[in-house]
Amino acid sequence: MSVKTSLNTFKKMNDKIYPKLSANDRFKMVIKTFVNGDEVQRKKLVKSCPMVNYYEPDNAFTARMEASRDIVTVFVIQLLEYDKKISIMKILNEFNCKELEPNAEFRVVNEVQAFLLAFETFCEDHLGIELQDMIQAWYG
């Protein structure tokens, strides 16, 4: 059997076997092609992968859901930071610590109020949802 005949037989075997590989086997073989530097076989493995159609919720909807969760998470984390600041200020006041600058608590409270108002405006004006509903939905 000549080399050319052997290569043709090998190619035909790949054409029949590659499409039937499981996802796990195909993955392992592709990784091996990276290790072996065999780009030709890698391309064959990738091209022979069965094509499937997936149905999923509309991307605009799912992206909005994920973004809203992330935004509320960041909002809650920031509130926790404010809570930490206020708690430390209260502790320092309990010890009559002179290091607190005058009106420091007042400034933090104003910052928290501005933050809450900004988030409330964002929720209502841009999302059409009340602040409480948004937080309740993700962290109820």
Side-chain angles (χ1 to χ4, degrees):
M1 183 181 273
S2 71
V3 173
K4 188 175 182 177
T5 306
S6 295
L7 287 174
N8 284 338
T9 304
F10 185 66
K11 182 185 180 321
K12 287 178 185 176
M13 186 175 73
N14 286 347
D15 290 344
K16 290 180 182 178
I17 294 174
Y18 279 6
K20 295 178 184 177
L21 290 171
S22 69
N24 192 43
D25 290 338
R26 183 179 308 279
F27 171 76
K28 289 177 187 177
M29 290 177 76
V30 168
I31 294 299
K32 281 287 189 193
T33 64
F34 280 110
V35 172
N36 298 333
D38 191 349
E39 191 172 332
V40 173
Q41 285 303 313
R42 182 175 341 138
K43 285 181 180 180
K44 287 180 182 179
L45 283 161
V46 171
K47 281 186 176 183
S48 66
C49 187
M51 299 297 280
V52 295
N53 290 324
Y54 290 100
Y55 293 97
E56 61 181 39
D58 177 37
N59 189 50
F61 167 75
T62 55
R64 183 172 277 242
M65 289 298 291
E66 291 170 8
S68 72
R69 181 195 60 227
D70 295 346
I71 288 168
V72 172
T73 300
V74 170
F75 170 78
V76 170
I77 290 170
Q78 183 60 48
L79 280 182
L80 291 172
E81 285 296 313
Y82 284 132
D83 182 57
K84 181 176 72 174
K85 268 186 186 179
I86 292 169
S87 296
I88 290 170
M89 293 174 116
K90 285 181 179 181
I91 290 169
L92 291 174
N93 279 340
E94 292 286 322
F95 290 113
N96 293 324
C97 186
K98 304 273 189 219
E99 292 180 26
L100 274 180
E101 58 184 89
N103 299 322
E105 285 182 54
F106 183 71
R107 265 186 282 140
V108 172
V109 169
N110 280 344
E111 192 176 325
V112 171
Q113 287 175 332
F115 178 70
L116 288 170
L117 181 61
F119 191 69
E120 181 177 38
T121 302
F122 170 78
C123 288
E124 290 175 359
D125 292 355
H126 296 285
L127 303 176
I129 299 172
E130 290 187 28
L131 167 77
Q132 296 84 352
D133 292 345
M134 189 68 149
I135 295 169
Q136 180 73 31
W138 293 112
Y139 292 98

